[in-house]
């Protein structure tokens, strides 16, 4: 078992990217249109799929990730897609150092439940400050995480399987939670068939900080953000703390007073 960022190839094959982007794209594009967004930083870009899609949709998009292997995979994916995008190796707590004091993005994405991979609450707070630093005044940060309050309250152990077809073979991914006192281990278990028909299983594991919506929003406010909206993921419905499985939090960097 190991953390996600050490297995970029496996991670890239776990999700039905075409289906996922078709679901997430309309929401993000409506959100960005309403906020006047043209430039976007995906600060936990993984293998670059969102950066590539954003570039194809006409945005000036770039990505960063803590893992050099993820960035290497993102560059390869972008090259294969014919997309010229800027990818940099950087933690989401070090965006200001990676992009410099002149950075002024219209939007920063931190999605895919990435922010709760931070090892401490102080790191989450530092990530919010870094996102605030690289945004222009009036820019927005879009953070997507599980509704950890609900996960904890329900003692959730497993989520529905994700099944994708890759090169004619079915790949099944299960998301399994092991609850501890202050963290929850999230295991991504993938099962597929090798060319000779044998079952192949891989497990990727990372500790998640189960930060509830109010705590997450409080850390954003402490970094200087104004909360703009809470959504039930990408379906356009308002967030329901008792029923929503996921939270999409939109926070805005205030503009200077006139």
């Amino acid at each position: 078992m190991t953390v996600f960022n050490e297995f970029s190839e496996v991670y890239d094959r776990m999700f039905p990217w075409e289906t996922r982007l078709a679901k997430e794209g309309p929401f993000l594009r409506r959100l960005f249109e309403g906020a006047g967004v043209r430039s976007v930083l995906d600060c936990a870009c993984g293998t670059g799929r969102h950066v590539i899609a954003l570039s194809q949709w006409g945005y000036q998009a770039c990505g960063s990730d803590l893992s050099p292997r993820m960035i290497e995979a993102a560059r390869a994916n972008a090259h294969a897609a014919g997309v010229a995008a800027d990818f940099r190796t950087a933690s989401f707590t070090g965006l200001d150092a990676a992009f410099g004091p002149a950075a002024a993005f219209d939007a920063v994405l931190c999605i895919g439940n990435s922010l709760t991979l931070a090892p401490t609450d102080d790191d989450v707070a530092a990530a919010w400050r870094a996102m605030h630093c690289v945004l222009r005044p009036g820019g927005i940060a879009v953070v997507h995480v599980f509704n950890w309050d609900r996960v904890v309250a329900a003692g959730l152990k497993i989520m529905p399987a994700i099944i994708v077809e890759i090169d004619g073979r079915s790949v099944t991914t299960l998301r399994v939670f092991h609850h501890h006192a202050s963290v929850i281990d999230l295991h991504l278990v993938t099962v597929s068939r090798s060319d000779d028909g044998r079952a192949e299983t891989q497990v990727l594991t990372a500790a998640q900080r189960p930060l509830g919506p109010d705590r997450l929003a409080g850390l954003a406010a402490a970094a200087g953000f104004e909360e703009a909206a809470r959504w039930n993921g990408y379906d356009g419905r308002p967030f329901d703390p008792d029923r929503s499985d996921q939270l999409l939090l939109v926070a805005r960097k205030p503009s200077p007073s006139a």
Side-chain angles (χ1 to χ4, degrees):
M1 296 188 294
T2 187
V3 296
F4 301 155
N5 61 23
E6 293 182 13
F7 280 88
S8 56
E9 292 183 13
V10 176
Y11 181 85
D12 209 24
R13 293 188 290 110
M14 283 182 171
F15 303 104
W17 286 105
E18 184 174 345
T19 301
R20 177 174 173 177
L21 291 168
K23 178 183 71 173
E24 298 174 3
F27 176 90
L28 291 173
R29 296 171 80 171
R30 286 194 303 270
L31 176 66
F32 289 166
E33 182 178 356
V37 170
R38 298 306 310 158
S39 60
V40 185
L41 168 63
D42 182 350
C43 73
C45 70
T47 56
R49 298 298 182 175
H50 285 91
V51 173
I52 293 167
L54 287 163
S55 297
Q56 292 170 334
W57 298 337
Y59 296 95
Q60 180 185 342
C62 61
S64 61
D65 199 279
L66 177 63
S67 166
R69 293 185 64 177
M70 287 288 194
I71 292 299
E72 182 181 352
R75 289 171 177 157
N77 287 335
H79 179 76
V83 167
D86 181 7
F87 291 101
R88 304 187 189 186
T89 302
S91 166
F92 44 52
T93 63
L95 303 177
D96 47 350
F99 291 93
F105 294 99
D106 297 326
V108 176
L109 295 180
C110 190
I111 55 180
N113 205 54
S114 299
L115 190 54
T116 52
L117 287 167
T120 69
D121 284 12
D122 288 343
D123 290 305
V124 176
W128 278 116
R129 291 194 298 270
M131 287 187 275
H132 188 277
C133 183
V134 298
L135 279 169
R136 65 163 172 81
I140 58 173
V142 183
V143 173
H144 168 259
V145 295
F146 291 134
N147 177 8
W148 287 107
D149 280 354
R150 185 172 183 273
V151 171
V152 172
L156 188 65
K157 302 296 185 183
I158 193 168
M159 296 185 75
I162 300 172
I163 303 174
V164 297
E165 291 291 328
I166 300 175
D167 298 330
R169 292 186 293 178
S170 178
V171 178
T172 301
T173 300
L174 297 175
R175 292 163 291 177
V176 180
F177 298 99
H178 283 166
H179 295 245
H180 304 285
S182 60
V183 299
I184 295 177
D185 288 334
L186 172 59
H187 309 283
L188 299 183
V189 184
T190 62
V191 182
S192 61
R193 293 283 178 182
S194 64
D195 291 335
D196 61 7
R198 293 182 296 107
E200 294 183 339
T201 302
Q202 291 178 294
V203 181
L204 310 185
T205 298
Q208 302 273 327
R209 299 197 64 74
L211 294 175
D214 290 340
R215 176 62 175 153
L216 193 64
L219 291 172
F225 282 99
E226 297 175 345
E227 183 174 335
R230 298 185 191 190
W231 299 99
N232 179 65
Y234 301 90
D235 62 10
R237 291 186 291 134
F239 175 75
D240 183 330
D242 297 320
R243 297 187 178 185
S244 295
D245 290 326
Q246 51 190 323
L247 165 70
L248 199 150
L249 177 65
V250 182
R252 189 178 306 278
K253 179 176 179 176
S255 297
S257 300

